[in-house]
Amino acid sequence: MDVFRALKSRNFRLFFYGQSVSLIGTWMQKTAVCWLVYRLTNSAVLLGVVSFVSLIPSLLLSPYAGSYIDRHNRYRILMITQIISMLQAGALALMILLRNYNIPGIIFLSLVQGVINAFDVTCRQSLMVEMVEDRDDLPNAIALNSTMANFARIAGPALAGIILSTFGEDFCFVSNFLSYVPVLISLWMMKIVLPPVIKSDRSIWAELREGFHYISGDKDLSSLLLMLSASSLFVIPFNTLMPVFAKDIFHGDAKTFSWFESAAGLGSIVSAIYMAKLKAGKDLVKILITASLIFSLSVLLLSLSGWLPLALLFMMMSGVGMMAQTASINTYIQTHAIPAMRARAISYYIMAFQGIIPVGSLLTGLLAHFIGPRLTVLVAGLAGVLATVVFVHYRRKLNDSTGEGGVHTSMPAQAA
């Protein structure tokens, strides 16, 4: 089928199947950690802290990771990060199996995983162009990768909800540890040919500056990344409060919490399939604007919902909007950044997405402590609408200053 055309490439197919299993385990663990922390502490602030430490390394390390990956063998780095991730998952599983419910220990291991992810995610994204044999299939591979991630976002929390209420948290953590086995096998089976790494005489810090100047000098890239940064700071972290919504507002349990995560994942996978079918000439900025409005308004309406099925519907719509927003920006960067700057450009995408979210999660947890979860989520939705309006105004000014043909916002024909 046309929507699965990137799976014709053997390396990407192996990567896709291995990661599918691993990401389900990752989401099971993420759901279990959030539920365990809130069950033990009843603290929205600590939920924000856990999200903060697991993602803040992406803000601090992503630009360095991009420059480092451009100078080394990306396949070898990916193998190393997956092995270390497996060891981290094993340490967390052992802690829970021994009933050592140590919140500082959980926070520390979340921080370790965040450091690994700063390199791992950038490496995976920049390696994707080498996994796909036909460059025309790259946007489809990016969308399928997002589909895979969001399918895991449905299956992982759904399984976690059943397992948490039936077997307990330890089973979720052990499952995540074991889920790294198929990833390592699939990576080992790959026959990937990378272009030779050209050793640079310049320091990595000089290349960091070069990457920053490239991003800041490209008004298309910088405006999209600023929009993503605003969404990551003000809107996306609303998800931090879903355990509070499930337990305190809708008087549910771990299974109720898993419904919220799975609803967002369902919306995301529908959106990802749409993105996978995109043809050349589609205006990615128009898709971004529409998606941002859907996302923000869904979050706003979620904050006002008093009926669980309606809340889950708006949660699903938030997944539709967030997925299309982030995927359109990711696709634009990977299809427009020059090859020598691709990993560095992607690292700024990771920083704007995963790196800003922890700051927003911490602020969201603190704000919820003072004004309550409903009002905090309402503020997030309003902030998203405002950010979209500002972005549209800026793009119009940019188009006026460069002329009709000066700003390229659609998918290039050769990459469709």
Side-chain angles (χ1 to χ4, degrees):
M1 292 178 65
D2 190 55
V3 72
F4 297 113
R5 59 186 180 274
L7 292 179
K8 293 181 296 183
S9 300
R10 180 180 182 275
N11 288 327
F12 180 73
R13 188 166 63 247
L14 286 168
F15 170 81
F16 184 88
Y17 294 148
Q19 285 290 321
S20 295
V21 177
S22 178
L23 286 172
I24 290 174
T26 298
W27 273 100
M28 287 176 65
Q29 177 175 291
K30 182 179 183 293
T31 304
V33 166
C34 289
W35 184 256
L36 178 65
V37 169
Y38 194 67
R39 179 176 68 80
L40 295 174
T41 67
N42 285 313
S43 171
V45 174
L46 278 176
L47 278 176
V49 169
V50 170
S51 295
F52 178 82
V53 300
S54 65
L55 292 172
I56 192 62
S58 293
L59 176 62
L60 302 176
L61 297 177
S62 284
Y64 175 84
S67 296
Y68 182 86
I69 289 164
D70 273 339
R71 297 160 65 102
H72 295 82
N73 186 302
R74 284 168 283 173
Y75 174 75
R76 192 173 297 125
I77 292 172
L78 186 58
M79 286 290 289
I80 293 169
T81 58
Q82 292 296 305
I83 291 169
I84 298 174
S85 293
M86 185 179 188
L87 295 175
Q88 183 271 350
L92 188 53
L94 186 61
M95 178 189 293
I96 304 305
L97 281 170
L98 296 175
R99 298 295 186 268
N100 182 17
Y101 297 133
N102 187 311
I103 298 299
I106 292 173
I107 291 173
F108 172 74
L109 286 173
S110 297
L111 176 63
V112 170
Q113 186 60 55
V115 173
I116 299 166
N117 284 343
F119 289 84
D120 179 73
V121 176
T122 303
C123 189
R124 274 190 283 130
Q125 294 282 350
S126 63
L127 193 61
M128 200 168 299
V129 69
E130 314 296 347
M131 295 181 194
V132 179
E133 294 165 10
D134 187 346
R135 284 293 301 276
D136 290 353
D137 292 338
L138 178 59
N140 179 255
I142 295 168
L144 285 178
N145 187 52
S146 297
T147 306
M148 167 183 66
N150 286 290
F151 174 77
R153 190 177 179 181
I154 298 172
L159 284 172
I162 297 170
I163 292 169
L164 284 170
S165 58
T166 307
F167 301 106
E169 292 104 349
D170 47 1
F171 199 93
C172 288
F173 293 107
V174 172
S175 296
N176 183 47
F177 170 72
L178 295 175
S179 73
Y180 282 98
V181 174
V183 177
L184 293 173
I185 292 173
S186 66
L187 288 175
W188 179 74
M189 290 176 65
M190 282 184 184
K191 296 176 181 178
I192 194 162
V193 179
L194 294 174
V197 178
I198 301 173
K199 295 295 183 181
S200 175
D201 295 330
R202 294 177 301 161
S203 72
I204 198 168
W205 303 109
E207 294 192 352
L208 270 171
R209 287 194 298 272
E210 185 182 35
F212 176 77
H213 290 314
Y214 171 70
I215 294 296
S216 59
D218 188 311
K219 298 301 182 183
D220 278 343
L221 289 180
S222 58
S223 65
L224 295 178
L225 290 173
L226 285 172
M227 178 61 195
L228 182 58
S229 297
S231 184
S232 298
L233 182 62
F234 299 115
V235 194
I236 296 175
F238 87 95
N239 196 50
T240 304
L241 298 177
M242 288 308 99
V244 185
F245 268 61
K247 186 172 182 290
D248 296 342
I249 293 178
F250 291 103
H251 311 291
D253 53 16
K255 191 175 292 185
T256 312
F257 172 45
S258 75
W259 290 344
F260 276 92
E261 294 287 0
S262 295
L266 179 61
S268 295
I269 200 169
V270 169
S271 188
I273 291 171
Y274 167 78
M275 295 298 294
K277 291 181 176 180
L278 284 183
K279 301 293 184 183
K282 289 290 184 179
D283 191 328
L284 292 173
V285 170
K286 286 184 179 178
I287 293 173
L288 165 62
I289 292 168
T290 303
S292 298
L293 285 173
I294 292 172
F295 182 28
S296 302
L297 291 173
S298 298
V299 171
L300 192 154
L301 292 169
L302 171 64
S303 72
L304 303 173
S305 302
W307 186 42
L308 181 59
L310 192 60
L312 293 174
L313 173 63
F314 291 132
M315 193 70 185
M316 183 184 73
M317 291 306 299
S318 76
V320 171
M322 189 182 79
M323 169 61 217
Q325 181 191 65
T326 56
S328 58
I329 296 172
N330 188 7
T331 302
Y332 185 92
I333 291 172
Q334 294 218 39
T335 54
H336 286 75
I338 61 175
M341 291 287 180
R342 184 176 292 116
R344 274 169 280 185
I346 291 169
S347 72
Y348 277 95
Y349 166 81
I350 301 300
M351 183 175 72
F353 183 30
Q354 292 191 353
I356 301 294
I357 288 175
V359 179
S361 295
L362 194 58
L363 291 174
T364 296
L366 290 170
L367 192 60
H369 178 73
F370 291 106
I371 68 173
R374 276 194 185 275
L375 193 52
T376 300
V377 174
L378 176 65
V379 169
L382 291 172
V385 173
L386 178 61
T388 306
V389 171
V390 171
F391 176 76
V392 170
H393 178 68
Y394 175 80
R395 295 295 302 195
R396 282 178 178 169
K397 287 182 64 177
L398 187 60
N399 282 326
D400 290 342
S401 65
T402 57
E404 279 297 315
V407 178
H408 304 288
T409 60
S410 61
M411 219 187 291
Q414 71 270 21

